[in-house]
Amino acid sequence: MIGLSVAVGRFIEALFWAILRVAGTVAVAAVAAALVLTVIFILIRRWRRKRRRV
C-alpha cells in the first residue's frame, strides 16, 4: 500500500512540474511575441515618418 502511495505522489509531482514547464514555455513565447511586435511597430513608425519628410 505504501508503494502505491509513493507512486501516486510521484505521478502528481511529475504532472505538476510538467504543467509548470508548459506554462513557463507559453509565458516566454507570449513575452517574446510581444517584444517582436513592439519592435516591428516601432520600425514601421520610423519608416513612415521618413517617407513623409521626403
Side-chain angles (χ1 to χ4, degrees), residues 1-2 6-7 11 13-14 17 20 23-24 26-33 40-41 43 45 48 51-52 54:
M1 198 58 133
I2 292 174
V6 170
F11 173 76
E13 182 183 8
W17 286 114
L20 283 181
V26 170
V28 168
V31 168
I40 289 173
F41 178 74
L43 291 176
R45 270 192 5 196
R48 283 187 174 180
R51 289 201 60 172
R52 286 182 185 169
V54 174

Side-chain angles (χ1 to χ4, degrees), residues 13-29:
E13 182 183 8
L15 186 63
F16 173 74
W17 286 114
I19 290 170
L20 283 181
R21 189 178 314 131
V22 170
T25 303
V26 170
V28 168

Side-chain angles (χ1 to χ4, degrees), residues 29-51:
V31 168
L35 286 174
V36 168
L37 288 174
T38 302
V39 169
I40 289 173
F41 178 74
I42 290 170
L43 291 176
I44 288 174
R45 270 192 5 196
R46 286 185 182 175
W47 180 68
R48 283 187 174 180
R49 284 183 184 171
K50 285 184 180 180
R51 289 201 60 172

